[in-house]
Amino acid sequence: MKRFALPLGIFLILLVFLGIGLRLKPQEIPSPFIGKPAPAFTLTLLHDAQKSFSPKDMLGKVWVLNVWASWCAPCRAELPALMALTKEAAIPIVGLNYTDTRSAGNKWLASFGNPYQLSAFDSDGKVGIDYGVYGVPETFVIDKSGFIRLKHAGPVTEDDIKDKFLPLLKELSGG
Amino acid sequence: MAKAPFRSLCTALLGLFCAALLLWTGSAHAGQGAPAAVNPALEQRVTQLAQELRCLVCQNQTIADSQAPLAVELKNQVREQLARGQSDQDVIDFMVQRYGDFILYRPPVKASTWLLWFGPFVLLALGLLTLLLKLRQKPAAPADSLTAAELAHAAALLAGESPPGEVAPAARSIPAITTVSNASTAATASTA
């Protein structure tokens, strides 16, 4: 019995490491932007090329920046959660339409629903790179003084809204 | 008579075909990943830097290897910035500022990565130490595990089985017992 103790122990340790490894989410790369000012940009609006949007316009408000594209299936999946967020928290969501075309983007919003106050049109993805976007959808929470407080990679679920977004948004709006 | 020229013509044609194939595949490879190959020196720097940067979509590839849209866009960024006259370090800082250390294919040595960098050497040292300790341990003498009574019994068997005059070969074949248990053999010898 005793001579099995060592291999068995090593096996159990490896098992623990395997368990930890399987739970890791390699897609979630820690963002260097948390607690830093949101990068500045000025982009035209998706639905109106004559008007433009800049994060400066939102100073004094807590808001959510959501990166999406018409070619992105998970973006469609997270739409109900974003709709729920606008209803429950009364927080403006600004879309960043990423490497898309105006016609495809507008058509997508018209057919699946539009949770966005407005969408900025980032056709070549340059602003996306400034925000460290590596996959769509990505969602940022930006506070009243224009600092990024949360970054969420991948589709937002109803649980994320309840556990991550609403508590933070409440805290930021109150303070 | 007409066979030899025909054969040489065939060889020549085959050679030409092979050369064309080589040229074609060669140029196809050169065309990949270098859409703006106007400046070979710049392109070389771009490739060198791209091999240091991780593709964030396909995480086990560098952006030099990857054809993911984001990797291509980042390569274009690298090219643009180098063309603008920025240094390699400027470009790397630009990327780290946006994507964090994760984008570096070679992680920087800092407190949080010490285990990563030095862990394997620690494991190697531990392994060597264990090996050394094991090697230096003296093998246990087999006679130690026998009790005095067992030794006496063995000696009695030896003495009993070997006819008088042939004690020597038996003693030769098991020298350990006879030497270790001098006293007990003497005792059994006296009883026998």
Side-chain angles (χ1 to χ4, degrees):
Chain A
M1 238 11 244
K2 214 172 163 188
R3 69 201 178 101
F4 293 125
L6 190 66
L8 193 68
I10 292 174
F11 174 72
L12 286 178
I13 290 170
L14 285 179
L15 210 63
V16 168
F17 275 113
L18 178 71
I20 295 171
L22 286 177
R23 275 155 205 275
L24 290 179
K25 290 184 186 152
Q27 291 304 323
E28 279 179 18
I29 300 165
S31 174
F33 283 109
I34 306 302
K36 299 233 177 85
F41 64 85
T42 305
L43 285 175
T44 59
L45 301 188
L46 178 67
H47 65 275
D48 188 349
Q50 305 304 316
K51 289 185 188 157
S52 64
F53 169 81
S54 167
K56 282 195 304 248
D57 305 343
M58 302 301 282
L59 277 178
K61 285 184 208 164
V62 180
W63 59 293
V64 169
L65 179 72
N66 177 261
V67 186
W68 67 277
S70 67
W71 45 262
C72 146
C75 296
R76 208 177 135 185
E78 73 172 354
L79 271 181
L82 292 182
M83 297 277 194
L85 182 64
T86 51
K87 243 176 243 157
E88 283 178 48
I91 291 284
I93 303 181
V94 172
L96 181 70
N97 180 254
Y98 176 74
T99 59
D100 208 346
T101 61
R102 265 183 217 281
S103 58
N106 282 317
K107 211 174 115 194
W108 192 83
L109 289 178
S111 37
F112 301 122
N114 185 353
Y116 308 110
Q117 175 179 301
L118 57 92
S119 278
F121 182 54
D122 181 25
S123 59
D124 56 5
K126 286 263 180 352
V127 171
I129 288 181
D130 279 344
Y131 276 76
V133 170
Y134 56 91
V136 237
E138 284 188 18
T139 310
F140 298 84
V141 173
I142 298 166
D143 68 12
K144 287 177 180 169
S145 41
F147 282 68
I148 294 180
R149 302 300 290 264
L150 173 79
K151 176 183 175 176
H152 180 90
V156 177
T157 63
E158 308 265 355
D159 283 344
D160 292 326
I161 297 284
K162 212 165 51 193
D163 303 335
K164 266 169 93 174
F165 285 83
L166 286 180
L168 179 69
L169 290 171
K170 203 168 280 174
E171 181 201 322
L172 292 177
S173 305
Chain B
M1 281 90 282
K3 238 180 190 173
F6 177 68
R7 193 185 286 167
S8 63
L9 184 68
C10 274
T11 338
L13 273 177
L14 190 72
L16 208 66
F17 175 72
C18 286
L21 199 70
L22 265 176
L23 264 176
W24 179 68
T25 48
S27 62
H29 271 286
Q32 261 178 18
V38 274
N39 184 346
L42 175 72
E43 235 16 73
Q44 199 191 343
R45 275 182 73 200
V46 170
T47 312
Q48 245 169 27
L49 254 181
Q51 279 165 352
E52 294 288 321
L53 298 171
R54 180 192 301 276
C55 169
L56 294 109
V57 184
C58 26
Q59 299 181 349
N60 287 332
Q61 281 187 311
T62 64
I63 63 170
D65 297 331
S66 174
Q67 290 297 321
L70 181 67
V72 173
E73 188 50 47
L74 288 181
K75 250 179 286 185
N76 289 337
Q77 276 284 335
V78 171
R79 185 176 296 115
E80 268 173 41
Q81 294 192 12
L82 288 181
R84 243 185 282 146
Q86 283 178 304
S87 72
D88 290 9
Q89 195 54 49
D90 288 339
V91 178
I92 288 178
D93 289 346
F94 173 91
M95 294 295 173
V96 170
Q97 199 192 338
R98 281 157 183 76
Y99 294 100
D101 284 342
F102 191 85
I103 199 163
L104 302 175
Y105 217 71
R106 213 191 299 251
V109 182
K110 47 160 110 171
S112 62
T113 57
W114 280 351
L115 191 65
L116 178 72
W117 278 101
F118 306 118
F121 297 108
V122 172
L123 277 181
L124 182 71
L126 275 177
L128 282 178
L129 197 72
T130 316
L131 183 69
L132 207 71
L133 284 177
K134 279 274 178 200
L135 283 178
R136 287 184 67 178
Q137 230 171 43
K138 280 188 189 122
D144 286 354
S145 54
L146 294 182
T147 62
E150 284 169 334
L151 283 173
H153 188 63
L157 280 176
L158 284 172
E161 272 171 18
S162 45
E166 276 192 22
V167 180
R172 238 201 340 264
S173 62
I174 315 172
I177 291 180
T178 42
T179 46
V180 170
S181 52
N182 270 341
S184 49
T185 19
T188 41
S190 64
T191 48

